[in-house]
Amino acid sequence: MALDEIDKKILRLLQQDAHYTLKDIANKINLSLTPVHDRVKRLEKDGIIEKYVTLLDKKKLGNNLTVYCQVTLTKQTYDTSEGFNQAILEMPEVVECNYVSGNFDYMLKIIIPDMESYHHFHQKKLSVLPEVSLINTVFVISEVKSTTVLPI
Amino acid sequence: MALDEIDKKILRLLQQDAHYTLKDIANKINLSLTPVHDRVKRLEKDGIIEKYVTLLDKKKLGNNLTVYCQVTLTKQTYDTSEGFNQAILEMPEVVECNYVSGNFDYMLKIIIPDMESYHHFHQKKLSVLPEVSLINTVFVISEVKSTTVLPI
DNA sequence: ATTTTAAACAGAATAATTTTCTGTAAAAAT
DNA sequence: ATTTTTACAGAAAATTATTCTGTTTAAAAT
């Protein structure tokens, strides 16, 4: 499962654009179609390549507000955590949720149309969870960087 | 640029899998190839569809540590902000950077191999920036959710 | 109200891409 | 030294994307 330099070149290209054709990639790295094809299939099978997705423009879809929620649970037990996790997985506006170290338990990232939507989310969906004790909101004023590209 | 229900169905599918073929999509929404093709092209042209990317398994690539950095700048001026932004854009381990409200100025998300790498990043790359005054690190203990899918 | 125009779609033809197949050369294993 | 495996090239086949032609529908224009 070790990656050689050719694998890395392929991954770097595919991270940028999932619609590069095998021919595109083959040309860029000076190989024929066969090895590129075989390597991509291997990378998919090994799970290095997780999936191919389409990224949409959140603002053009009307999602003009991004916020981080720092959530503290009522109890630090397994059941409480699990209950919270399951609830979060059902909420489409929560695009990231991580259990973290520090003064609070979870860091959430929320993408939502506007402040009114956030008010509703906060009051009617998040704070009402029995597992939630405290919510501290950090509002995103301006996005500097957001990438799915991992360094290879 | 208004999206009808068919556009939304197409976007929902493409968000999940950028490798769905036009035929796949056409079948799933009961249409012929032509309108699906035309609509996808329109959504690309209008920038609703931003790009197609490949998501890789960060752990299989050796990135076993995720952290949030809460950064405070030395001064809240435009030049300081711009200098910081430019520096961040050059750092591949920083996958998210947002200017935020609250007790600090920026929220960063860092993906990196291990604690030693983070130590190096913190001491030699981030804290040395002239714009940076304070860094508070929040370590991710466990990832609950991470998606590129926006609610439509 | 009737014609015109434009928009949305179906189906077929063409072009491009992916996938499979065949074969070769070099490296690794026995 | 022989066999096996791995990595690759090139060609053929299958699938997919793209283009073209034509129909229907609804809106727009006259």
Side-chain angles (χ1 to χ4, degrees), chain A residues 14-19 51-55 148-149, chain B residues 18 51-55 148:
Chain A
L14 284 178
Q15 279 198 109
Q16 289 183 255
D17 188 349
H19 272 12
K51 54 185 164 181
Y52 304 98
V53 303
T54 302
L55 301 185
T148 56
V149 175
Chain B
K51 55 185 164 181
Y52 303 98
V53 302
T54 302
L55 301 185
T148 56

Side-chain angles (χ1 to χ4, degrees), chain A residues 2 4 9 16 27 36 46 57 64 66-67 75-76 79 82 86 93 101 108-110 130 152:
Chain A
D4 66 12
K9 282 182 186 172
Q16 289 183 255
N27 288 339
V36 176
D46 291 351
D57 186 315
N64 294 298
T66 302
V67 310
K75 288 187 292 184
Q76 266 76 29
D79 286 353
E82 275 305 302
Q86 291 309 313
E93 57 275 77
S101 70
L108 275 56
K109 188 180 184 187
I110 320 288
I152 300 181

Side-chain angles (χ1 to χ4, degrees), chain B residues 57-113:
Chain B
D57 186 315
K58 56 175 176 284
K59 292 200 174 168
K60 288 186 175 160
L61 290 174
N63 295 122
N64 294 298
L65 186 60
T66 301
V67 310
Y68 290 98
C69 285
Q70 302 174 332
V71 175
T72 304
L73 296 193
T74 46
K75 287 187 293 184
Q76 268 73 30
T77 63
Y78 173 80
D79 286 353
T80 306
S81 255
E82 274 307 301
F84 180 72
N85 291 354
Q86 291 307 314
I88 289 300
L89 290 175
E90 308 265 291
M91 299 181 186
E93 58 275 78
V94 180
V95 297
E96 283 180 31
C97 175
N98 286 291
Y99 181 59
V100 298
S101 70
N103 302 320
F104 46 91
D105 296 319
Y106 284 88
M107 177 83 86
L108 274 57
K109 188 180 184 187
I110 320 288
I111 297 180
I112 213 158

Side-chain angles (χ1 to χ4, degrees), chain A residues 14 18 48 50-55 57 68 70 91 94-97 99 101 139 141-142 144-145 147, chain B residues 14 18 48 50-55 57 68 70 91 94-97 99 101 139 141-142 144-145 147:
Chain A
L14 284 178
I48 311 272
E50 224 168 59
K51 54 185 164 181
Y52 304 98
V53 303
T54 302
L55 301 185
D57 186 315
Y68 290 98
Q70 302 174 333
M91 300 181 185
V94 180
V95 296
E96 282 179 32
C97 174
Y99 181 60
S101 70
F139 290 100
I141 298 172
S142 161
V144 176
K145 184 178 187 177
T147 182
Chain B
L14 284 178
I48 311 275
E50 224 168 60
K51 55 185 164 181
Y52 303 98
V53 302
T54 302
L55 301 185
D57 186 315
Y68 290 98
Q70 302 174 332
M91 299 181 186
V94 180
V95 297
E96 283 180 31
C97 175
Y99 181 59
S101 70
F139 290 100
I141 297 172
S142 162
V144 176
K145 184 178 186 177
T147 182

